[in-house]
């Protein structure tokens, strides 16, 4: 064994000891907090303790790992063992969308939620087969590095920089949005303040030490997030089934959920509530047909009611009329927004979605649309997973090509621990809701309902629509982003478990945000400034510039997230479509086809990302309003083959391949040096560095 191998083995053993000690210390910390809670420690204090303790922990790792060396800052010195790189990739991957959104998607969508689990895990197979080992063999710092070297010149590199920033910024906004929700829940502060509190936690991890600090922080974050995710699910499983492995027994709970769904479908009270929702939606639709006229007529009617009550001297009628007038939208635009929300109630007035029903729909045509969108989403998520720059960068950090391959396997293992648990969690929570909340008097609702409604009524609301004083399933609205965070309270667990789950969600969001911000900052400082503008810049100045840019991008992302532009899952999925359409054809053909040319790659990337971006802005309400000035309530009528904008990459990926292949065949072949680079990358020596 060489000296380098002995040094690497010693380093790995030392890491195992450090993180074993860390895991034991974290469990002891949770136990102590649980004891203090039983002794009377206030809930808000527990929330602050979890928030401050975890952020201080990550800050400590960041400070210890600080560096100004380029190799350490950009690729952690290329000495991260496969096991720990797999754990870091797992944390990098377990974003707020996975931690919060996966079970939160299974809860309302049931079978259709499998698209996310299948796409995200299947993407790692593509990564192992087509990209990770070859990029590690290439041996530079970033994805634009590869594009610039493989396709020759700065234009492919610049297009790669733009795509990396676009998909990473979209993704990081989702993470900071999730951080805001979690921080608000932990501390009780306003959402906007929670966003910037979480931002501080993000920056302390990545600002000082770059990839080195982010790597060792992400390993620590993975341990926290997986413990936090598994404990309440195991607890729920034991409560409901007496068995501590939920992945093996949630099927029997699913059978009971299915039986309860059949009862709810036939329940006259449920039908009554859905009828009310449909009536309100129909009335709002009519008002929106003549917005100005409807608004004026409604305002005039309320003014007349106030005047009539004033003239009659009826105090009760006057108060009622004044209250209705106060609730009436103040402007026509306010009315448009309010009535659009009412129109959206038609979705809640539809048939109950059975959890285990594949490709649901009212008829064959609707089921075909559901099936098409399921497969399109799986496609985009798989291709996007294999193309995300902040994930692919992680495989530059391993000591060798062989370690890169092995670390992909470890990544899948650590990711599957959560992904096999999320479907079970959704079923167990739905069982709890159907049996312990539906049918309760509104006066007896559990406290967690009010507490979550206070965080954001859009995330949690229960209203007595039919006025019978009893909770019907159709009267419950739960945003997917809170299912995981609310699980401990739904199950009646100690509040310290709620704090633990929130800390896990925070770790998931922070770990991914760190990697994304580092990707953006590195693209600007290394690929744009160093490679294209000033190749003579010193290493220290380049690292300093990366740190400054990281700070600026983080603040811009936080300001965007504070506006709540869309739900977490849409933002994340949009990032996957951008990455898939922009990078996958250029990367795969660049590795496997010597004939692919630079102009073809440039045009292919532009075509792929262009059509994807166009389709998304054309069909996502808030983007359509931003780019085309079309108000959000206006119905979407521009879907191609009924494909939802979340899967826009379905059009970009094949177009990118088509453009690259056609243009490559009609342009001169790459020079000999480029073809030799392909040979070098394509057939790696597994033992080589």
């Amino acid at each position: 064994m060489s000296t380098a191998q002995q040094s690497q083995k010693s380093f790995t053993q030392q890491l195992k000891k450090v993180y074993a000690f860390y895991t034991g210390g974290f469990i002891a910390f949770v136990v102590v907090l649980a004891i203090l809670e039983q002794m009377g420690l206030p809930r808000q204090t527990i929330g602050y303790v979890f928030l401050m303790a975890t952020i201080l922990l990550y800050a400590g790792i960041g400070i210890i790992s600080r560096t100004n060396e380029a190799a350490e800052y950009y690729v952690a010195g290329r000495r991260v063992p496969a096991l720990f790189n797999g754990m870091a990739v797992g944390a990098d991957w377990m974003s707020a969308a996975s931690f919060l959104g996966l079970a939160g998607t299974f809860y309302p969508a049931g079978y259709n939620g499998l698209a996310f689990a299948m796409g995200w895990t299947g993407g790692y197979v593509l990564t192992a087969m087509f990209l990770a080992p070859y990029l590690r063999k290439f041996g530079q710092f970033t994805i634009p590095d590869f594009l610039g070297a493989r396709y020759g010149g700065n234009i492919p590199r610049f297009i790669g920089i733009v795509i990396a920033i676009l998909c990473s910024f979209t993704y990081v906004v989702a993470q900071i949005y999730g951080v805001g929700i979690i921080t608000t829940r932990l501390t009780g502060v306003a959402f906007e303040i929670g966003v910037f509190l979480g931002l501080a936690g993000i920056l302390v991890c990545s600002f000082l030490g770059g990839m080195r600090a982010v790597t060792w922080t992400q390993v620590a974050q993975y341990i926290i997030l997986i413990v936090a995710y598994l404990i309440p699910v195991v607890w729920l499983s034991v409560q409901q089934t007496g068995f501590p492995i939920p992945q093996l027994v949630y099927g029997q709970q699913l059978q009971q959920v299915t039986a309860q769904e059949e009862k709810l479908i036939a329940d006259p009270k449920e039908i009554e509530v859905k009828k009310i929702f449909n009536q309100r939606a129909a009335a709002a639709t009519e008002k929106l047909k003549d917005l100005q006229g409807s608004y004026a007529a409604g305002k005039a009617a309320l003014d007349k009611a106030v005047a009539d009550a004033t003239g009659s001297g009826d105090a009760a009628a006057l108060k009622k009329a004044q209250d209705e007038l106060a609730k009436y939208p103040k402007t026509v635009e306010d009315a448009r927004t309010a009535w659009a929300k009412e129109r959206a109630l038609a979705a809640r007035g539809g048939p109950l979605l059975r959890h285990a029903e594949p490709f649901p729909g009212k008829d064959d045509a609707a089921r075909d649309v559901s099936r098409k969108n399921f497969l399109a989403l799986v496609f985009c998520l798989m291709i996007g997973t294999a193309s995300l720059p902040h994930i692919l960068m992680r495989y530059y950090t391993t000591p060798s090509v062989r370690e890169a391959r092995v670390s992909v396997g470890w990544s899948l293992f650590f990711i599957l621990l959560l992904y096999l648990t999320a479907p079970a969690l959704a079923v167990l929570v739905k069982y709890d809701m159907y049996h312990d909340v539906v049918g309760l008097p509104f006066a007896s609702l559990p406290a967690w309902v009010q507490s979550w409604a206070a965080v954001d009524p859009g995330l949690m609301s229960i209203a007595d629509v039919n006025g019978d004083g009893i909770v019907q399933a159709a009267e419950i609205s739960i945003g997917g982003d809170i299912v995981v965070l609310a699980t401990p309270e739904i199950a009646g667990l100690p509040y310290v478990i709620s704090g633990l789950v929130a800390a896990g969600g925070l770790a998931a969001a922070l770990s991914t945000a760190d990697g994304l911000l580092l990707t953006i900052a590195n693209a600007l400082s290394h690929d744009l400034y160093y490679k294209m503008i000033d190749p003579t810049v010193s290493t220290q100045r380049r690292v300093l510039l990366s740190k400054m840019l990281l700070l600026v991008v983080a603040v811009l992302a936080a300001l965007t997230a504070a506006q709540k532009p869309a739900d977490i899952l849409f933002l994340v999925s949009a990032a996957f479509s951008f990455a898939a359409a922009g990078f996958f054809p250029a990367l795969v053909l660049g590795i496997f086809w010597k004939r692919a040319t630079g102009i073809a790659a440039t045009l292919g990337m532009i075509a792929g990302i262009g059509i994807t971006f166009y389709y998304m802005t054309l069909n996502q309400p808030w983007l359509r309003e931003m780019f085309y000035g079309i108000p959000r309530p206006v119905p979407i009528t521009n879907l191609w083959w009924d494909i939802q904008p979340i899967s826009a990459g379905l059009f970009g990926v094949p177009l990118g391949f088509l453009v690259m292949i056609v243009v490559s065949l009609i342009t001169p072949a790459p020079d000999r040096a480029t073809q030799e680079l392909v040979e070098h990358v394509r057939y790696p020596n597994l033992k080589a560095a």
Side-chain angles (χ1 to χ4, degrees), residues 184-461:
T184 299
R185 181 59 187 141
L186 273 175
T187 63
V189 300
F191 174 81
E192 293 76 11
I193 297 173
V195 164
F196 284 93
L197 283 176
L199 182 64
I202 294 168
L203 291 175
V204 296
C205 301
S206 53
F207 182 76
L208 295 175
M211 183 62 84
R212 182 166 79 170
V214 166
T215 297
W216 306 126
T217 304
Q218 284 174 339
V219 174
Q221 287 166 332
Y222 179 81
I223 293 169
I224 290 178
L225 74 86
I226 199 64
V227 170
Y229 202 89
L230 291 176
I231 285 178
V233 188
V234 170
W235 197 320
L236 260 181
S237 180
V238 171
Q239 275 189 344
Q240 293 183 17
T241 69
F243 193 73
I245 306 177
Q247 298 90 339
L248 298 181
V249 296
Y250 81 94
Q252 68 187 56
Q253 297 305 93
L254 179 58
Q255 290 180 334
Q256 297 189 50
V257 165
T258 301
Q260 186 65 21
E261 286 169 344
E262 297 304 321
K263 293 179 182 177
L264 292 173
I265 289 171
D267 187 339
K269 290 291 185 181
E270 295 287 343
I271 296 171
E272 179 186 2
V273 170
K274 290 180 179 295
K275 183 178 179 181
I276 294 171
F277 281 138
N278 285 323
Q279 290 170 345
R280 287 167 57 181
T285 301
E286 287 301 313
K287 291 177 183 177
L288 287 167
K289 287 179 180 178
D290 180 14
L291 182 63
Q292 297 280 357
S294 298
Y295 179 78
K299 182 76 162 51
L302 289 172
D303 286 338
K304 184 177 184 302
V306 171
D308 291 345
T310 302
S312 68
D314 187 339
L318 178 60
K319 184 178 186 310
K320 180 180 178 182
Q322 288 175 333
D323 288 345
E324 290 180 356
L325 182 61
K327 294 176 183 176
Y328 197 73
K330 299 296 184 290
T331 67
V332 173
E333 284 306 310
D334 289 343
R336 186 198 301 273
T337 301
W339 294 340
K341 288 181 180 178
E342 286 283 297
R343 183 178 60 190
L345 291 174
R348 295 178 65 182
L352 179 70
L353 180 65
R354 295 174 175 86
H355 196 88
E357 181 181 358
F359 315 124
K362 61 183 179 181
D363 52 34
D364 288 343
R367 285 189 284 274
D368 285 343
V369 170
S370 178
R371 185 181 293 106
K372 279 194 295 186
N373 277 284
F374 181 95
L375 296 174
L377 185 56
V378 171
F379 174 84
C380 288
L381 295 178
M382 285 183 68
I383 303 297
T385 298
S387 309
L388 283 173
H390 76 287
I391 294 296
L392 293 177
M393 278 175 60
R394 287 236 51 95
Y395 297 107
Y396 284 130
T397 66
T398 57
S400 67
V401 175
R402 181 182 182 83
E403 290 280 294
R405 286 186 182 275
V406 174
S407 70
V408 177
W410 279 116
S411 302
L412 266 174
F413 170 75
F414 290 123
I415 290 167
L416 281 173
L417 285 181
L418 189 146
Y419 276 26
L420 292 177
T421 307
L425 173 58
V427 169
L428 296 175
V429 170
K430 186 169 281 190
Y431 174 89
D432 229 48
M433 291 293 292
Y434 282 167
H435 288 81
D436 295 338
V437 176
V438 174
L440 274 182
F442 272 83
S444 304
L445 280 174
W448 67 266
V449 175
Q450 284 82 6
S451 64
W452 274 106
V455 172
D456 186 344
L459 292 176
M460 177 75 238
S461 67

Side-chain angles (χ1 to χ4, degrees), residues 100 128 537 564 593 641:
L100 301 180
V537 67
K564 301 180 181 179
W593 193 35
W641 297 286

Side-chain angles (χ1 to χ4, degrees), residues 649-660:
L650 179 69
F651 306 109
V653 173
L655 181 63
F657 272 112
L658 179 64
V659 169
M660 276 199 67

